[in-house]
Amino acid sequence: MRIALDAMGGDFAPKEIVAGGVRAAREFSQVESLILVGDRSVVEQELARHPDVSSRIVLHHASETIGMGETPALAVRKKKDSSISRAVDMVKTGEADAMVSAGNTGAVVVAATLKLRTLDGVMRPAIATVLPTLKRPLVLIDAGANTDCTPGMLTQFAVMGSVYSREILGQPRPVVGLMSIGGEDSKGNEITKETFRLLEAAPVNFRGNVEGHDLFEGETDVVVCDGFVGNIILKTAESTARAIGHWLKQELTANPLRLLAAALLRGGLRKMKHRMDPELHGGALLLGVNGVCIITHGASTAKAIYHAIRVAKESIGHRLNHQIVKEIAKLGALE
């Protein structure tokens, strides 16, 4: 398998991107070539810092970069030789089986949707991101690709999220919940009420509505919502985790006695930090496009890039898109 990596995207590009790519190429023998897409001179300079560069790493020059603050549609249209566009182009032409980027999320979504198109039967692609919970990882879909959704789209998101949970996270029969403002089927707006009805008949393990306090309990494997709500949930969870970390550090270093207690708790605190680490989950998959596209956080480190490449590898190996098309076809049979 061949994976294209946007070397220029992200707050810490190209240093962290290249470092993560080098590690992945060294450890993942299934990846026959890892293609670093970006300014050749800049990427080569960064590669020179690594004495153990795999021969499976190749370069593909792209003269332009899409900034994090640029308007996605305009940037993709104007910057045809950007690292994001070229990485997606490689998936389209078959030169790569997947692409990974820590760059402008909107630009990746626009480029992938326009160039790769959607899978057979899929209305819209959706961003699936993984959140840690008390028991097992949770797939939140959509996390930002579609701010306005129809009940039919949300039902498809449930199917795609279930396939992801089953094939990549190993949940044999993922439990699906619909984000709403109450557990009863009468709660929510007209879109969620109609979606509830569709999900009851869909080929998914639907538990009903879930609320915000259900998210991290670990009883649900896939939570479905539109991208507007999903992105708010994601950003709120991230900021809450940062605040808790800050408060914990502040209190544990307040005096010498607490510092001693912190030293005794070091192992447990390190384990808790590891469980909450979003970089271990490999970024967010853009599900529903005709290719494997993974979007990682703009502040991704080498560790996040390494795990994103791991998820890309697993998605290819599990034929994730083939499984999605099969399950979406079952929805059509119910109509």
Side-chain angles (χ1 to χ4, degrees):
M1 56 185 69
R2 299 153 298 176
I3 298 173
L5 175 61
D6 170 17
M8 311 306 290
D11 299 339
F12 306 121
K15 181 180 178 181
E16 294 296 316
I17 311 301
V18 171
V22 168
R23 179 187 170 191
R26 184 174 65 246
E27 296 185 18
F28 299 143
S29 59
Q30 303 96 321
V31 180
E32 61 186 76
S33 65
L34 182 71
I35 308 158
L36 295 176
V37 185
D39 187 305
R40 181 178 294 275
S41 62
V42 174
V43 177
E44 284 180 339
Q45 184 177 359
E46 197 58 47
L47 278 172
R49 301 175 186 269
H50 299 271
D52 56 344
V53 175
S54 168
S55 60
R56 287 179 283 132
I57 288 183
V58 298
L59 272 60
H60 185 92
H61 180 67
S63 62
E64 297 174 301
T65 301
I66 295 177
M68 301 298 274
E70 293 190 59
T71 304
L74 182 62
V76 170
R77 188 166 65 248
K78 292 182 66 176
K79 295 185 173 181
K80 299 186 184 301
D81 198 38
S82 68
S83 53
I84 287 176
S85 289
R86 290 307 181 202
V88 174
D89 285 339
M90 297 188 81
V91 176
K92 179 181 179 180
T93 60
E95 296 173 79
D97 301 298
M99 69 84 69
V100 174
S101 177
N104 186 309
T105 297
V108 176
V109 173
V110 169
T113 304
L114 291 176
K115 295 170 183 286
L116 303 179
R117 303 297 182 181
T118 56
L119 294 167
D120 288 344
V122 172
M123 298 176 187
R124 293 279 186 85
I127 295 174
T129 192
V130 179
L131 300 175
T133 75
L134 293 177
K135 297 181 180 179
R136 54 190 188 264
L138 165 75
V139 177
L140 178 69
I141 182 170
D142 179 20
N146 308 278
T147 55
D148 297 296
C149 297
T150 65
M153 289 165 58
L154 292 171
T155 304
Q156 288 195 346
F157 296 169
V159 171
M160 295 193 292
S162 294
V163 173
Y164 179 29
S165 180
R166 185 186 72 217
E167 297 296 325
I168 305 302
L169 301 180
Q171 295 301 324
R173 196 164 179 261
V175 177
V176 176
L178 175 64
M179 179 55 63
S180 189
I181 58 171
E184 302 86 354
D185 59 2
S186 60
K187 294 292 181 70
N189 56 28
E190 292 307 312
I191 291 176
T192 56
K193 290 176 185 177
E194 175 62 14
T195 303
F196 189 104
R197 186 185 68 79
L198 293 178
L199 286 174
E200 284 186 306
V204 296
N205 184 19
F206 182 49
R207 65 169 284 188
N209 287 340
V210 294
E211 300 177 75
H213 60 72
D214 296 311
L215 283 173
F216 300 101
E217 294 297 322
E219 301 296 335
T220 310
D221 300 297
V222 180
V223 168
V224 179
C225 56
D226 63 47
F228 185 86
V229 171
N231 198 259
I232 291 173
I233 290 173
L234 179 61
K235 298 296 174 58
T236 302
E238 289 175 347
S239 64
T240 301
R242 282 195 297 270
I244 291 173
H246 174 76
W247 294 332
L248 194 59
K249 183 177 180 180
Q250 192 175 52
E251 294 300 325
L252 288 175
T253 58
N255 58 56
L257 187 60
R258 289 184 183 180
L259 279 170
L260 177 60
L264 295 173
L265 292 170
R266 184 178 293 122
L269 292 171
R270 187 180 295 117
K271 187 172 181 180
M272 184 179 75
K273 183 179 180 182
H274 177 80
R275 290 183 64 181
M276 294 175 63
D277 189 354
E279 295 197 328
L280 296 176
H281 296 296
L285 264 165
L286 181 62
L287 296 178
V289 294
N290 193 20
V292 175
C293 295
I294 296 184
I295 306 166
T296 68
H297 199 287
S300 290
T301 66
K303 178 170 68 173
I305 297 301
Y306 167 83
H307 285 287
I309 295 169
R310 172 184 58 79
V311 173
K313 172 181 69 71
E314 292 172 354
S315 299
I316 298 165
H318 284 261
R319 301 182 68 202
L320 192 65
N321 284 341
H322 174 73
Q323 301 296 335
I324 287 174
V325 170
K326 280 176 57 179
E327 297 300 321
I328 290 294
K330 293 179 183 178
L331 274 181
L334 295 175
E335 296 176 355

